[in-house]
């Protein structure tokens, strides 16, 4: 588990909650408490102790550069101990955030320099049978429609992840 004070910039996807619920029914320890279904744009982000008003303004400004989007989640992917659903439509916004903060190493480098945009469904699924059960349960829920609306800056506290602020995505062109 990361240290308190760790921050992340995420797009919360409430419509993807059934994916986490499916994993939780198999093994509740696979789903992070207090963290809703989301796509991480930057994790870890600037530590809370170093976070500036300029960082916050840049997050808000960049959020406004992207429209709210309807998504269709269709593909489950796995890696050792990890089950996720890809969200290719959000890769441009993920890339834009990573470009703004080039010193950030997504996931500490665990998934390479440019990990794909995804909703993490299960972490710590080290038992292959458990991971297969999660993959099957999640796959049975796809395709799943979801909508983006805002970006959140979240901070890990002693009580779990908490939102520091929400920045709305812009309205779709013509909408």
């Amino acid at each position: 588990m990361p240290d308190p004070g760790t921050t992340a910039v995420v797009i919360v996807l409430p419509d993807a909650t059934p994916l986490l619920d499916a994993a939780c029914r198999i093994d509740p320890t696979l789903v992070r408490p207090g963290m809703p279904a989301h796509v991480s744009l930057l994790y870890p982000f600037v530590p809370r102790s170093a976070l500036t008003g300029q960082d916050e303004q840049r997050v808000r400004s960049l959020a406004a550069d992207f429209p709210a989007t309807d998504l269709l989640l269709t593909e489950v992917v796995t890696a050792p101990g990890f089950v996720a659903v890809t969200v290719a439509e959000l890769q441009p916004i993920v890339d834009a955030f990573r470009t703004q903060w080039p010193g950030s190493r997504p996931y500490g480098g665990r998934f390479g320099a440019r990990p794909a945009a995804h909703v993490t469904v299960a972490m710590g699924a080290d038992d292959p049978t458990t991971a297969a059960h999660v993959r099957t349960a999640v796959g049975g829920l796809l395709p799943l429609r979801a909508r983006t609306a805002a970006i959140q800056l979240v901070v890990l506290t002693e009580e779990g992840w908490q939102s520091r602020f929400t920045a709305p995505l812009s309205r779709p062109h013509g909408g």
Side-chain angles (χ1 to χ4, degrees), residues 79-99:
F82 176 80
V83 179
V85 173
T86 60
V87 190
E89 299 93 336
L90 294 181
Q91 194 64 48
I93 193 169
V94 171
D95 291 344
F97 270 81
R98 291 179 186 160
T99 297

Side-chain angles (χ1 to χ4, degrees), residues 87-153:
V87 190
E89 299 93 336
L90 294 181
Q91 194 64 48
I93 193 169
V94 171
D95 291 344
F97 270 81
R98 291 179 186 160
T99 297
Q100 279 291 315
W101 285 272
S104 173
R105 282 188 41 199
Y107 308 100
R110 178 178 175 199
F111 302 108
R114 189 178 179 254
H118 63 276
V119 175
T120 300
V121 175
M123 289 182 55
D126 298 321
D127 173 48
T129 303
T130 301
H133 287 303
V134 171
R135 181 182 178 96
T136 299
V138 168
L141 298 172
L142 302 179
L144 180 70
R145 294 193 182 282
R147 175 135 180 98
T148 65
I151 290 173
Q152 285 189 356
L153 177 64

Side-chain angles (χ1 to χ4, degrees), residues 9-24 30-41 71 73 83-85 87 90 107 118-122 138 141-142 144-152 154 161:
V9 180
V10 302
I11 294 179
V12 176
L13 297 176
D15 299 328
T17 299
L19 304 175
L20 275 60
D21 292 345
C24 196
L30 299 177
V31 179
R32 288 168 287 182
M35 185 59 99
H38 68 279
V39 172
S40 293
L41 303 177
L71 307 169
L73 308 179
V83 179
V85 173
V87 190
L90 294 181
Y107 308 100
H118 63 276
V119 175
T120 300
V121 175
V138 168
L141 298 172
L142 302 179
L144 180 70
R145 294 193 182 282
R147 175 135 180 98
T148 65
I151 290 173
Q152 285 189 356
V154 295
W161 290 98

